[in-house]
Amino acid sequence: MYVERVQKIIAASGYCSRRKAEELIKQGKVFVNGEIISLGDKASGNDYIEVEGNAINEKQDKVYYLLNKPRGIITSTYDDKGRKTVVDLIDINTRIYPVGRLDYDTTGLLILTNDGELANLLTHPKNNIEKVYIAKIEGLITKGYLKTLENGVVIDGKKTAKSKAKLIKADRKTNTSVVQLVIHEGRNHQVKNMFKALGYNVIKLKREAISFLTLDGISSGQYRQLTIHEVKRLYNEAKK
Ligand code: URA
């Protein structure tokens, strides 16, 4: 049986980052087999680990959901202001969490799971998982700027990776454009910030697809479970 540092096991479960797990251990909030532990202690898959009262390595079936997130819902497992979160929309007793983040006012495809390994694979930028966004922006965008988006713009001092940008609609009357943007990274507010870097304000944003998964048949606020086949395919796509 292989043994690892407890903070590593906690991070691998997807509960929180390794650094946060270290803090929780120092704060005395982590128990292994009912005993409080110290930073540096190790455990194995046979041990019962509890973090802030939550069992993290119970033999629990993995579950996977695809949600069409509505506007005005927080992408988090908990909100200290008591606002509704994406997890509240899904009717199960198992503890699940969102994979990546959509802003409060962004709608569309979100995966929720208790599979920390898949969550980490899907969010790691090196795994090149495609995310398709439809952005409605103020102003009429030029072909040149679409190219600039594709080649990368500088956000917080770092250039974004290559992307694909396509004009879907330009409306002179309302002075708005609709652009499809396909990106691989998942930086904070990335799509809004990419447009902002060029002087455009995003009025509406929707994520239409993650890799081969789309919102087909799932209306706003609705969800479905992923099939075993889809989960396997996501693992394959991430490991390509
Ligand atoms: N990019 C954003 O700006 N917001 C989101 O919610 C997702 C991607």
Side-chain angles (χ1 to χ4, degrees):
M1 173 63 54
Y2 85 125
V3 169
E4 279 189 306
R5 291 203 191 275
V6 177
Q7 62 266 36
K8 195 168 170 198
I9 301 175
I10 297 171
S13 79
Y15 185 87
C16 61
S17 67
R18 193 189 293 208
R19 184 167 298 188
K20 175 79 186 160
E22 287 173 358
E23 269 171 38
L24 293 170
I25 292 171
K26 284 192 211 151
Q27 290 164 7
K29 292 180 178 164
V30 179
F31 293 76
V32 174
N33 303 325
E35 301 275 335
I36 202 158
I37 60 147
S38 313
L39 194 60
D41 286 353
K42 295 181 174 180
S44 80
N46 281 343
D47 292 313
Y48 176 73
I49 302 176
E50 213 178 89
V51 186
E52 300 179 300
N54 301 297
I56 66 126
N57 61 345
E58 264 177 330
K59 286 268 166 286
Q60 203 172 48
D61 286 342
K62 299 277 186 266
V63 290
Y64 306 86
Y65 288 89
L66 180 162
L67 169 73
N68 186 347
K69 177 194 171 298
R71 241 165 209 267
I73 304 274
I74 302 192
T75 304
S76 166
T77 51
Y78 173 76
D79 179 52
D80 50 15
K81 294 189 193 115
R83 289 173 296 181
K84 223 177 191 183
T85 73
V86 286
V87 172
D88 295 328
L89 298 179
I90 296 184
D91 189 19
I92 50 158
N93 292 323
T94 311
R95 205 182 68 83
I96 53 171
Y97 40 84
V99 177
R101 224 154 258 282
L102 289 179
D103 295 334
Y104 189 68
D105 58 352
T106 300
T107 62
L109 203 161
L110 186 69
I111 297 171
L112 296 104
T113 182
N114 56 356
D115 182 346
E117 188 188 357
L118 183 67
N120 290 338
L121 283 172
L122 291 179
T123 45
H124 202 294
K126 87 170 185 332
N127 291 331
N128 276 333
I129 296 292
E130 265 191 6
K131 280 151 281 194
V132 181
Y133 291 92
I134 301 288
K136 184 173 183 185
I137 59 170
E138 265 172 340
L140 300 172
I141 195 159
T142 61
K143 272 196 182 144
Y145 271 170
L146 288 173
K147 258 275 153 287
T148 309
L149 283 173
E150 293 196 326
N151 290 331
V153 292
V154 176
I155 301 176
D156 297 332
K158 194 171 167 249
K159 201 170 173 189
T160 56
K162 288 232 178 302
S163 69
K164 283 180 236 156
K166 191 165 95 183
L167 182 64
I168 306 284
K169 193 173 144 192
D171 188 338
R172 283 184 189 282
K173 265 201 202 135
T174 55
N175 192 35
T176 56
S177 313
V178 177
V179 177
Q180 184 197 63
L181 191 63
V182 184
I183 59 173
H184 298 113
E185 303 161 294
R187 288 159 65 179
N188 233 353
H189 312 299
Q190 177 155 348
V191 175
K192 290 178 188 168
N193 285 340
M194 284 176 77
F195 282 102
K196 196 171 162 193
L198 302 179
Y200 292 101
N201 182 30
V202 173
I203 313 167
K204 258 190 188 174
L205 184 61
K206 179 176 189 180
R207 181 155 68 193
E208 287 214 320
I210 296 179
S211 189
F212 60 89
L213 292 173
T214 68
L215 289 168
D216 281 356
I218 310 292
S219 45
S220 177
Q222 292 199 319
Y223 59 89
R224 69 170 176 87
Q225 282 196 267
L226 297 184
T227 65
I228 294 170
H229 177 72
E230 287 171 328
V231 173
K232 280 195 182 146
R233 202 169 151 198
L234 281 177
Y235 267 100
N236 286 337
E237 295 289 329
K239 286 175 177 170
K240 252 183 201 167

